[in-house]
Amino acid sequence: MDKLMDSPWFLRIMALLLAFLLFFSVKADEDAVNSANNGTITEEIEDVELEVFYGDTNLMVSGLPETVDLTISGPTSTVQTARQLKDFTLFVDLRNMTIGEHRVPIQTENFSEQLRVQINPAFVDITIEERVTQEFRIDPEMNERLLREGFVLEEITADPNSVTVTGPKSVIDAISFVKATVTGEQGVNESFTTEARVRVLANDLTKLENVEIEPEVVKVSVEIQEYSKEVPVVIKENGTPPTGIRIDELIPSSKTVRVYGPKNAVDPLNEYVVEVNTGVITPTDTTIETELKAPKGTTSVTPADMTVEAEITVDETVEAPDGVEKPEVSENSSS
């Protein structure tokens, strides 16, 4: 036995057998790897952009989705390459279609012949219409619940005050409102200017899509004022005119005043009483200045002061009080 193992031919044969064993072992591993790489798998790719080909720029298409879902099956390496590179195209070709309703297939381009491709949806229902452009006036708006209590929306304007809207004729015909809505935090108590995005709405206030708006954003100026109410002035005499002077009429410089403040404090007011001290009137000075104070619960009143002019009659038979000079007028004169 020892002689056999020491034989050169025995060693050569054993070396050859080991070489064959190693070769077949490596080949089996390679075959296993190749088998795994050449296996069939299925991948789903969602939200693949859909391209549209059409030649007439005076036409517009509605009903087309922006994206579709895609399922591909095939060799593992080919599927993985397609999923990673996404160098394929999904499209609809409308170049030879006329105005009206159509059902069109979604077509593919640049896919490997080894792949099986499924598209969801495979067909889409579309409407081809005339492209229309029309000008609309903007209706700016703001939710008045954003205002601080005691303040009101006096005026709101948009600049520019109109926009042009381009879209399919049926959509343009459905436009009932064009809004630019101001948003923000609650507690607004002063005027401001901001930007607002323009929206086009149907009669039921649903937003209309598939339109181009120019400009899409406008400036909106919002004028905020404190709540107020105009009420008539009522003159109330306070004091006694000097001897020999009769008050014929007290005429205020303004017949009304505007009172500002919370609605629950302002609304109950039906008049503004101005008390006039007629005791300071003299034959030569019939003008009375009085400061106007805000009624209880309100914040201010305009004007802040008022002039009251007294029309008087002076009795010349009555001796004027000390220090009071009689006017050089005839009896029953007035100033």
Side-chain angles (χ1 to χ4, degrees):
M1 186 67 178
D2 292 338
K3 290 181 180 181
L4 180 62
M5 294 182 66
D6 291 337
S7 169
W9 285 105
F10 177 79
L11 295 176
R12 291 171 184 168
I13 293 172
M14 290 300 296
L16 182 61
L17 290 175
L18 288 173
F20 274 114
L21 182 62
L22 181 60
F23 171 78
F24 285 113
S25 176
V26 170
K27 189 174 186 308
D29 290 341
E30 290 179 350
D31 290 343
V33 171
N34 291 335
S35 177
N37 288 337
N38 294 326
T40 299
I41 64 171
T42 299
E43 288 275 356
E44 183 175 352
I45 305 175
E46 297 181 341
D47 299 328
V48 180
E49 184 177 354
L50 182 64
E51 296 189 14
V52 184
F53 300 145
Y54 56 91
D56 193 343
T57 57
N58 291 321
L59 301 179
M60 293 196 73
V61 182
S62 58
L64 275 176
E66 294 184 1
T67 62
V68 295
D69 296 335
L70 175 68
T71 301
I72 52 177
S73 302
T76 301
S77 59
T78 308
V79 170
Q80 290 177 344
T81 299
R83 178 171 57 83
Q84 293 172 359
L85 297 181
K86 292 184 179 179
D87 55 352
F88 50 80
T89 302
L90 302 183
F91 67 95
V92 289
D93 190 350
L94 310 179
R95 284 173 289 194
N96 296 321
M97 293 190 175
T98 58
I99 291 177
E101 296 181 351
H102 304 272
R103 168 165 284 195
V104 295
I106 296 179
Q107 302 181 54
T108 65
E109 188 176 55
N110 203 30
F111 277 100
S112 169
E113 294 182 355
Q114 295 179 298
L115 295 177
R116 181 173 176 269
V117 180
Q118 290 181 307
I119 305 169
N120 184 28
F123 292 84
V124 290
D125 295 319
I126 64 167
T127 302
I128 301 177
E129 299 180 73
E130 179 186 358
R131 182 187 184 95
V132 175
T133 298
Q134 188 171 332
E135 185 174 353
F136 292 88
R137 185 175 181 84
I138 300 173
D139 179 21
E141 63 179 9
M142 174 180 169
N143 190 337
E144 296 193 30
R145 286 182 294 181
L146 297 176
L147 300 176
R148 180 182 294 181
E149 184 180 1
F151 288 81
V152 293
L153 177 61
E154 187 70 17
E155 186 180 18
I156 181 168
T157 56
D159 182 24
N161 60 7
S162 64
V163 293
T164 57
V165 184
T166 302
K169 187 176 186 303
S170 63
V171 178
I172 299 299
D173 291 344
I175 296 175
S176 296
F177 307 99
V178 178
K179 300 283 189 180
T181 304
V182 174
T183 59
E185 298 180 357
Q186 290 186 333
V188 179
N189 64 348
E190 60 184 5
S191 301
F192 64 94
T193 299
T194 187
E195 291 186 338
R197 185 167 294 277
V198 179
R199 298 175 300 142
V200 292
L201 308 174
N203 191 51
D204 60 357
L205 297 182
T206 57
K207 184 179 179 181
L208 296 173
E209 305 289 350
N210 198 27
V211 294
E212 302 169 8
I213 304 172
E214 180 59 37
E216 294 183 344
V217 176
V218 296
K219 288 185 177 180
V220 179
S221 298
V222 183
E223 185 177 340
I224 306 297
Q225 289 189 0
E226 192 173 9
Y227 182 75
S228 65
K229 176 182 177 181
E230 191 175 59
V231 295
V233 170
V234 175
I235 301 297
K236 179 181 179 182
E237 292 188 32
N238 183 14
T240 303
T243 304
I245 296 178
R246 186 180 73 237
I247 305 297
D248 295 327
E249 187 178 4
L250 295 172
I251 304 173
S253 57
S254 176
K255 293 183 178 181
T256 62
V257 296
R258 182 166 291 276
V259 183
Y260 295 83
K263 184 178 176 66
N264 59 0
V266 173
D267 279 352
L269 299 176
N270 296 316
E271 61 184 26
Y272 185 89
V273 177
V274 177
E275 293 192 2
V276 176
N277 182 10
T278 56
V280 300
I281 295 175
T282 68
T284 57
D285 188 1
T286 57
T287 301
I288 305 168
E289 298 284 346
T290 181
E291 181 183 356
L292 304 186
K293 296 182 179 180
K296 184 179 180 180
T298 65
T299 59
S300 62
V301 59
T302 57
D305 51 53
M306 181 175 290
T307 300
V308 178
E309 187 70 28
E311 290 189 353
I312 65 173
T313 298
V314 179
D315 188 351
E316 294 293 334
T317 63
V318 178
E319 185 177 351
D322 293 340
V324 176
E325 181 181 352
K326 286 187 177 182
E328 296 181 358
V329 292
S330 61
E331 188 176 349
N332 296 327
S333 65
S334 62
S335 62

